[in-house]
Amino acid sequence: MMMNLTCAILHADQQVSEQLEMFIAKTPFLSLCGKYSNPIEALKGYYDNKVHLYFVGIGQEEMEGINGMEFSKLLSPFTRVIFIADTPRYAAECFRLDALDYLISEINFPIFFEAVNKASRWFSLKGEAGMPFTVVPEKSQADTSQPEMPKVIYVKSDNRIFRLDISRISYIEGLGDYVKIYSKDESKPILSLCTMKYMEERLPSDEFIRVHRSFIIRKDCIRIIESSKIALDKRSIPIGEVYRKKLKNYISDYSVL
């Protein structure tokens, strides 16, 4: 059964906004709960409503104070974003923000429906909470007084739920709206419908570091760091320019002989 999704629009162009509103009205599983041209007003409305899907315009100079990409960073990981632009020039940056889709303003209903159907599949696989996995503490039966307990994650994949020990995860690879989770001593990764941003925000930062748009690695799995890549036991991981400074700061905490 297809779940109903609430959605909102933030776009400075009234014509584009009205077109999106018309498309939403034609889509049975979408319910419009807000339409804005001002990001500040949109934020006020956002905190009053539970929004599954946000249509955000970018490249609009008249949207003063906060641009569309900055606005999207203020939304919770629960809300997915479809960016609307009049040029493809912002696409790469938007997908680095884990956009669900990126549409050019001259869109028709089939293109729109394809994008929102992707959102429907995304939320349906996660359930109403929109949670692809849960991080939970797990008590040791041998010592229940232990202050720092091992953690596990429960991951949805292929209509099954897998229990993974966080300490066994080697790295995570992003593939669009999916991630591949690679664990030690496992021959195959687990594929889950989830964003890299969601993974990054929920995995412990003292154990994992994002080194590329498409890769999060476990710190103690690092074997060699080169100028443009990191060697793990069985994989070479590229270093993204955006994440190079973060990696450098991590290394600086240790003595390099």
Side-chain angles (χ1 to χ4, degrees), residues 187-205:
S187 59
K188 294 182 179 180
I190 291 177
L191 182 67
S192 181
L193 186 60
C194 175
T195 68
M196 290 292 283
K197 180 180 179 182
Y198 192 94
M199 291 288 295
E200 184 180 18
E201 290 177 345
R202 281 156 180 78
L203 290 173
S205 60

Side-chain angles (χ1 to χ4, degrees), residues 98 122 126 132-133 153 155-157 164 171-182 189-200 203 210 213-216:
D98 290 313
W122 196 90
K126 290 170 178 53
F133 67 82
I153 58 174
V155 182
K156 292 182 180 179
S157 179
L164 299 178
Y171 66 97
I172 298 99
E173 180 179 6
L175 297 170
D177 293 318
Y178 291 82
V179 295
K180 281 185 175 181
I181 304 173
Y182 292 82
I190 291 177
L191 182 67
S192 181
L193 186 60
C194 175
T195 68
M196 290 292 283
K197 180 180 179 182
Y198 192 94
M199 291 288 295
E200 184 180 18
L203 290 173
R210 190 169 183 177
R213 179 171 60 90
S214 301
F215 290 97
I216 299 171

Side-chain angles (χ1 to χ4, degrees), residues 96-225:
R96 280 197 292 270
L97 296 174
D98 290 313
L100 182 71
D101 214 329
Y102 183 96
L103 306 180
I104 306 300
S105 295
E106 297 294 330
I107 59 175
N108 55 35
F109 183 71
I111 292 175
F112 171 87
F113 189 79
E114 182 179 351
V116 298
N117 198 42
K118 185 187 299 183
S120 177
R121 292 195 303 270
W122 196 90
F123 280 101
S124 293
L125 285 175
K126 290 170 178 53
E128 176 62 24
M131 301 287 281
F133 67 82
T134 304
V135 181
V136 296
E138 202 165 84
K139 291 185 178 181
S140 167
Q141 298 192 6
D143 183 10
T144 56
S145 64
Q146 191 175 6
E148 293 189 6
M149 297 175 290
K151 293 180 179 179
V152 299
I153 58 174
Y154 288 89
V155 182
K156 292 182 180 179
S157 179
D158 294 331
N159 296 318
R160 294 179 292 175
I161 298 178
F162 293 84
R163 177 190 177 281
L164 299 178
D165 188 334
I166 286 180
S167 66
R168 304 302 298 167
I169 296 176
S170 301
Y171 66 97
I172 298 99
E173 180 179 6
L175 297 170
D177 293 318
Y178 291 82
V179 295
K180 281 185 175 181
I181 304 173
Y182 292 82
S183 296
K184 299 173 183 177
D185 306 323
E186 295 291 339
S187 59
K188 294 182 179 180
I190 291 177
L191 182 67
S192 181
L193 186 60
C194 175
T195 68
M196 290 292 283
K197 180 180 179 182
Y198 192 94
M199 291 288 295
E200 184 180 18
E201 290 177 345
R202 281 156 180 78
L203 290 173
S205 60
D206 59 330
E207 298 179 38
F208 293 87
I209 183 170
R210 190 169 183 177
V211 297
H212 187 274
R213 179 171 60 90
S214 301
F215 290 97
I216 299 171
I217 62 176
R218 185 171 185 83
K219 293 176 180 178
D220 62 13
C221 287
I222 296 174
R223 294 294 171 259
I224 302 172
I225 299 176

Side-chain angles (χ1 to χ4, degrees), residues 14-32:
Q14 185 177 355
Q15 184 176 355
V16 174
S17 185
E18 290 177 351
Q19 183 186 43
L20 290 170
E21 184 177 10
M22 180 182 66
F23 288 165
I24 291 168
K26 292 173 61 176
T27 306
F29 58 85
L30 293 183
S31 296
L32 185 64

Side-chain angles (χ1 to χ4, degrees), residues 7-11 13-14 16-22 24 32-38 41-42 54:
C7 61
I9 301 169
L10 171 61
H11 206 292
D13 189 315
Q14 185 177 355
V16 174
S17 185
E18 290 177 351
Q19 183 186 43
L20 290 170
E21 184 177 10
M22 180 182 66
I24 291 168
L32 185 64
C33 63
K35 187 173 73 168
Y36 311 92
S37 60
N38 182 292
E41 293 299 319
Y54 226 117

Side-chain angles (χ1 to χ4, degrees), residues 74-93:
L74 301 175
L75 305 180
S76 78
F78 170 84
T79 301
R80 298 310 311 274
V81 176
I82 294 177
F83 287 103
I84 312 294
D86 56 5
T87 171
R89 63 179 294 192
Y90 306 106
E93 188 172 354

